[in-house]
Amino acid sequence: MTPEELRSLIRTVPDFPQPGIQFRDITTLIGHPQGFAASVRHLADAARSVGAEAIAGMEARGFIFGAAVACELDLGFVPVRKPGKLPVPSIGVDYALEYGSDRLEIDPGAVASGERVVIVDDLIATGGTALAAAELLRRAGASVDYALFVIDLPDLGGAQKLRNAGVNVRTLIAFEGD
Ligand code: AMP
């Protein structure tokens, strides 16, 4: 399936989790066997073409796509976690969301020095989550030059924010106007 065909598998839920947010729900995409496989293959093709040595994904929906991409490419997966989940000393960063704020943490030993780590998540909105992940991975010694997303909300400017931080962005589907 092409990225344009994948668009129709994404469900839009208005006013979730709060009024004014058009929630782009990937539940319907990952529940579709060919749709899920095709989205992982498109992301994996992009990660392969930029020389990924490991894949990092953000909890929780980044785990779904990131782990599948890592598996497809025979690479390791670095989980970027919500706070308080890691059983070892971690490093963390607080960041703002399109709605609310949050914190991400990683095990600093999860990446090798200079390792080319590619970030994978379901969606980029303001870019705050991916920027925080890139910062954390870089602090742990990774080289973070690329981030891949199934969905871009271009009007929220996240991709540009990442590019300004030296992270190239590839996305499969854009939803304008949100
Ligand atoms: P951001 O940090 O603003 O780029 O937000 C990205 C994260 O929040 C992604 O991991 C998404 O899972 C989630 N998210 C933000 N906005 C939306 C939205 N409109 N629909 C679905 N998920 C969203």
Side-chain angles (χ1 to χ4, degrees):
M1 295 180 80
T2 65
E4 210 37 55
E5 289 168 330
L6 297 175
R7 170 193 294 274
S8 63
L9 297 177
I10 294 162
R11 173 169 64 187
T12 296
V13 182
D15 300 321
F16 181 86
Q18 61 187 50
I21 303 289
Q22 298 268 58
F23 193 81
R24 306 299 181 178
D25 185 14
I26 51 118
T27 309
T28 40
L29 172 64
I30 62 177
H32 188 285
Q34 292 79 21
F36 185 30
S39 38
V40 169
R41 270 197 301 273
H42 287 301
L43 294 169
D45 288 346
R48 187 189 296 106
S49 75
V50 301
E53 295 177 326
I55 303 295
M58 291 79 102
E59 189 170 356
R61 278 166 278 156
F63 285 7
I64 297 167
F65 292 100
V69 169
C71 215
E72 177 100 0
L73 298 179
D74 279 330
L75 297 176
F77 178 72
V78 181
V80 182
R81 303 226 54 182
K82 298 259 170 76
K85 303 287 187 186
L86 287 163
V88 294
S90 60
I91 54 175
V93 63
D94 296 293
Y95 65 99
L97 282 174
E98 184 186 4
Y99 37 86
S101 71
D102 215 336
R103 177 178 172 83
L104 289 176
E105 295 178 348
I106 63 167
D107 167 6
V111 296
S113 177
E115 191 170 30
R116 278 199 300 274
V117 178
V118 171
I119 292 172
V120 172
D121 204 358
D122 67 326
L123 178 147
I124 181 163
T126 66
T129 308
L131 207 54
E135 184 186 327
L136 271 180
L137 292 160
R138 284 173 169 167
R139 270 163 58 187
S143 168
V144 185
D145 298 329
Y146 290 90
L148 315 175
F149 304 88
V150 179
I151 302 164
D152 184 19
L153 305 184
D155 293 9
L156 294 176
Q160 189 55 48
K161 198 187 286 176
L162 278 187
R163 290 186 188 108
N164 293 345
V167 182
N168 296 290
V169 174
R170 306 266 176 90
T171 61
L172 303 186
I173 303 157
F175 284 96
E176 315 275 346
D178 295 299

